[in-house]
Amino acid sequence: MFNLILFGPPGSGKGTQSEKLIAKYHLKHLSTGDILRSEIAKKSKLGLEAKKLMDKGELVPDEVVIGMINDALENNKSAKGFLFDGFPRTEVQAAELDKLLAGKKSSIALVLAMNVSEKELIKRLLKRGEASGRSDDANEEVIKARIGEYHKKTQSVLKHYQKEKKVAEIEGEGSIDEIFQRLAKAISKVYKEK
Ligand code: B4P
């Protein structure tokens, strides 16, 4: 299995680049944000609880997202690899992901960490908020709270993978295609396409 993590603050282009990466590398896309939003759309108990936190820009509890990822791995046993998008977002989630993958005799091959300035993040998310109706993109206060959560709880997750020399830092500003080329170049150093 070939497993990638797409890492970065909210609005750094994870969802956008994931679409292109899964098409090129034939990976199964696992976005915890998308799974949570589909639970919200279904109005499930989990979705309603998650919405309260997401609307404030806070992270959903670790056990909830770890359970979702565990289910997704179990339901996709034939996948040739996974692209984790927006997960792990805490050190607890990173340690659990290692264990889940080790149980499948697999591991993370590469973490693609996208760097984007805070000014650009806020600009992109406010723009998406105008069109998407996503309540967590609707105002600058919530967007700043999400970026705050990233600095407080998520950024340090990179150290976990830096110790294993698995991180490639990617400049995340520029056109979507330019950024995709940078990602593909970093991937080509660890993965040879057949
Ligand atoms: P996510 O769904 O992961 O949302 P995100 O970080 O905002 O999105 P992303 O980074 O994918 O957006 P993109 O840049 O593609 O999480 C939402 C919430 O769910 C979290 O706040 C949290 O509450 C909860 N959650 C999710 N996972 C969790 C976990 N593991 N643990 C706990 N809680 C969790 O898109 C942004 C905009 O930028 C788009 O409009 C796009 O078109 C634009 N854009 C992208 N690239 C661009 C470029 N190069 N130039 C200009 N614009 C660009």
Side-chain angles (χ1 to χ4, degrees):
M1 262 204 275
F2 178 63
N3 302 309
L4 289 174
I5 294 174
L6 198 50
F7 190 91
S12 54
K14 301 185 297 286
T16 306
Q17 296 295 337
S18 287
E19 298 299 323
K20 297 172 79 71
L21 289 169
I22 54 166
K24 180 166 166 71
Y25 298 101
H26 312 289
L27 302 172
K28 174 73 190 163
H29 183 202
L30 292 185
S31 157
T32 39
D34 285 353
I35 302 172
L36 288 166
R37 281 185 289 278
S38 85
E39 291 293 328
I40 293 173
K42 283 190 263 175
K43 297 194 166 49
S44 69
K45 185 162 174 281
L46 188 160
L48 295 175
E49 288 300 318
K51 185 172 181 348
K52 287 186 213 154
L53 295 164
M54 290 164 77
D55 282 354
K56 288 190 278 183
E58 291 173 19
L59 294 184
V60 171
D62 286 335
E63 57 276 19
V64 173
V65 282
I66 291 163
M68 289 176 350
I69 288 289
N70 189 22
D71 290 348
L73 293 177
E74 285 304 306
N75 292 336
N76 290 283
K77 286 197 170 134
S78 59
K80 62 172 274 218
F82 293 93
L83 172 63
F84 296 96
D85 161 6
F87 179 90
R89 258 176 157 100
T90 65
E91 288 168 47
V92 170
Q93 293 178 20
E96 281 302 318
L97 178 60
D98 281 351
K99 279 192 222 160
L100 289 174
L101 291 175
K104 300 183 182 313
K105 306 213 177 336
S106 189
S107 62
I108 293 297
L110 184 65
V111 180
L112 297 156
M114 293 201 288
N115 295 316
V116 176
S117 71
E118 185 160 330
K119 193 169 156 222
E120 173 73 10
L121 296 174
I122 294 171
K123 194 174 103 189
R124 286 183 191 177
L125 292 174
L126 283 173
K127 189 164 168 230
R128 180 170 68 184
E130 287 168 17
S132 72
R134 255 179 74 167
S135 46
D136 59 345
D137 287 341
N139 74 68
E140 200 162 328
E141 289 285 285
V142 176
I143 291 172
K144 284 192 170 155
R146 288 161 63 194
I147 296 172
E149 283 279 85
Y150 171 80
H151 289 302
K152 210 160 60 184
K153 299 178 182 163
T154 306
Q155 203 168 24
S156 61
V157 171
L158 266 193
K159 288 197 204 115
H160 177 94
Y161 297 103
Q162 270 158 346
K163 276 190 228 143
E164 300 172 7
K165 303 204 183 330
K166 287 182 174 172
V167 177
E169 302 264 356
I170 307 292
E171 167 56 55
E173 294 190 35
S175 76
I176 289 170
D177 282 334
E178 276 164 1
I179 297 163
F180 181 64
Q181 293 311 320
R182 292 175 200 148
L183 292 166
K185 189 170 169 202
I187 293 170
S188 71
K189 294 187 181 151
V190 298
Y191 179 73
K192 295 284 163 265
E193 278 177 85
K194 289 182 192 104

